[in-house]
Amino acid sequence: SDSFSLEDLERNVLWTMNYSDAAPWPSGTDGEGRSLVYAGGSINDPGSWRPSVEEGGNPGTSDRVPYSEGDSLADYVIGGQEVTPDEASTVRFEVLLNAGADDVELTPEWSSNVASWAGDRLILVAQEPLGAGLVKRTWQMTREPNEERLFFRVNLERR
C-alpha cells in the first residue's frame, strides 16, 4: 500500500490517501496507460476511484461525463451486468459501467427473496478498464448453504 498527500502552497496537508496497485483498486493504472481518477466518495475506498476513460489519462482536464437532468440514471451509468457462479460457494456479480459517469454513486445489493435487499457481504474484488469508455467492476460474495437462489441489483443515487 502506498500513500499520496495533497498540500497547499504553505505545505499544509489537505488530505492523504492510501492506495494500492492490487485489486480491488482499478487495474491498468499502474504504468499501463491509464490514470487513476477520483470519482467521489471516501478517498481511501477503492470504489471511489476508477481508471481514466482513455489511455494516457486526461491531464489538465476531466473525462467526467456530466449527467443530464431527466435522463435515466441506469442509461447514464450501466453498460451491462452479469452474475456468475464462481464455484460452489462463491458468486461473482459483474457490472459494466460507463467510465466517466461520476455523477452517480453505484451500490451493489443482493437478495434471496427479492423482498429485502442488502449491500453487506458483497466485496469489491476488481475494476478493469475494457476500452470504449467502459469499466468492468466485479464484486463477489459467499453463498450460504440455505441460499438456493440469489438476486443482484445496483442501487443508483445522484452524488
Side-chain angles (χ1 to χ4, degrees), residues 5-46:
S5 296
L6 180 65
E7 299 176 346
D8 64 15
L9 293 175
E10 286 80 42
R11 304 194 59 79
N12 297 310
V13 175
L14 301 174
W15 54 261
T16 300
M17 68 170 282
N18 299 305
Y19 66 95
S20 174
D21 61 357
W25 286 86
S27 65
T29 60
D30 185 22
E32 296 177 31
R34 296 188 189 269
S35 297
L36 188 62
V37 178
Y38 176 66
S42 169
I43 60 171
N44 290 307
D45 177 9

Side-chain angles (χ1 to χ4, degrees), residues 117-131:
W117 293 86
D120 66 331
R121 295 176 48 199
L122 279 165
I123 299 169
L124 181 64
V125 294
Q127 297 184 73
E128 178 186 355
L130 301 177

Side-chain angles (χ1 to χ4, degrees), residues 130-145:
L130 301 177
L134 294 174
V135 173
K136 179 170 65 173
R137 208 174 259 194
T138 305
W139 295 268
Q140 84 179 22
M141 69 179 275
T142 301
R143 176 194 305 259
E144 298 297 327

Side-chain angles (χ1 to χ4, degrees), residues 63-111:
D63 61 0
R64 183 182 144 272
V65 176
Y67 171 73
S68 296
E69 208 58 52
D71 286 353
S72 160
L73 291 181
D75 289 344
Y76 170 71
V77 178
I78 306 296
Q81 54 189 333
E82 183 175 338
V83 176
T84 311
D86 204 22
E87 50 191 63
S89 64
T90 304
V91 179
R92 293 171 84 82
F93 177 41
E94 299 176 343
V95 179
L96 303 184
L97 307 171
N98 295 317
D102 299 338
D103 290 346
V104 171
E105 184 169 353
L106 178 145
T107 305
E109 297 178 331
W110 67 273
S111 175

